[in-house]
Amino acid sequence: LAFFCALTVLVITPQSASAWWACGHHVVANLAYDQLAPKEQKALIDLLKHHPRFALDFNPPETVKNDPEAVDRWRIGAAAYWPDVARKFPTWSRSKWHYQLGAAQTIGDPAKLNVPKSPGPLPPGASLATQDLHIEQAILLCRQVALDVKRPKPERAVALCWLLHLYGDGHQPCHAGSLYTVD
């Protein structure tokens, strides 16, 4: 039911969902959040509170401040959208992370096409500071970081935001692949 409600909202309000942005990321993150047990939901929210920009970027709007469950759901959505907010800050911006390199589909003679090669596996030594990763590599990296309880919680919280964001981006055709033609 939640899926169909979210889909209906996205279809009848294309202006607010333009391309994806905040609305789409909030919806995808909350659908995933709903699949978790309450203990897992609490663990995610607790980890998110360690985000280096939590006090600045995760303040819920007045409309939900008096409902703790709504605040948590809003924060999970904000976490999924946060990497787009982070584009304003060179320290956090990772422009290549948002899309996959290579062709999802080709039309015509492959010898005449100039298709970039797939980026391949996660490079050794990659970190959250590595700029030159693409979506698949970034997901692998962020998953490792978020699940590694030996890492600092602020680092894990940033990785969590990226995971939520990239799973949403990965479901968009313009982020997940490209069409190359001779024309």
Side-chain angles (χ1 to χ4, degrees):
L1 181 62
F3 172 76
F4 292 111
C5 290
L7 185 60
T8 301
V9 168
L10 290 174
V11 169
I12 64 172
T13 59
Q15 305 88 330
S16 64
S18 62
W20 208 235
W21 296 104
C23 179
H25 283 293
H26 275 261
V27 169
V28 170
N30 274 278
L31 287 171
Y33 185 74
D34 288 342
Q35 302 303 308
L36 301 174
K39 184 178 178 181
E40 294 167 322
Q41 291 175 341
K42 182 181 179 331
L44 284 184
I45 296 297
D46 290 346
L47 178 59
L48 188 57
K49 290 178 181 178
H50 292 276
H51 193 287
R53 292 189 51 88
F54 185 81
L56 299 168
D57 297 337
F58 295 90
N59 289 315
E62 291 295 326
T63 55
V64 299
K65 278 192 175 179
N66 295 324
D67 181 350
E69 183 180 339
V71 167
D72 289 349
R73 294 179 69 74
W74 183 89
R75 284 186 170 143
I76 285 296
Y81 181 63
W82 182 81
D84 281 338
V85 172
R87 289 178 186 219
K88 296 182 238 173
F89 308 105
T91 302
W92 301 106
S93 182
R94 306 286 181 272
S95 60
K96 290 183 180 180
W97 285 28
H98 296 264
Y99 65 92
Q100 187 61 22
L101 188 64
Q105 180 68 43
T106 58
I107 298 173
D109 182 359
K112 295 180 180 178
L113 298 173
N114 185 19
V115 179
K117 292 185 180 191
S118 174
L122 182 63
S127 73
L128 292 178
T130 304
Q131 292 283 332
D132 200 22
L133 299 177
H134 292 276
I135 195 168
E136 186 176 347
Q137 297 166 315
I139 286 172
L140 291 171
L141 170 68
C142 291
R143 195 164 180 271
Q144 288 174 3
V145 172
L147 294 173
D148 186 350
V149 295
K150 294 178 183 173
R151 293 202 186 231
K153 286 185 178 180
E155 192 175 308
R156 292 177 60 216
V158 168
L160 171 63
C161 292
W162 273 104
L163 272 176
L164 292 168
H165 183 82
L166 295 172
Y167 280 125
D169 273 1
H171 287 84
Q172 298 180 74
C174 291
H175 283 278
S178 302
L179 168 65
Y180 286 83
T181 72
V182 174
D183 297 329

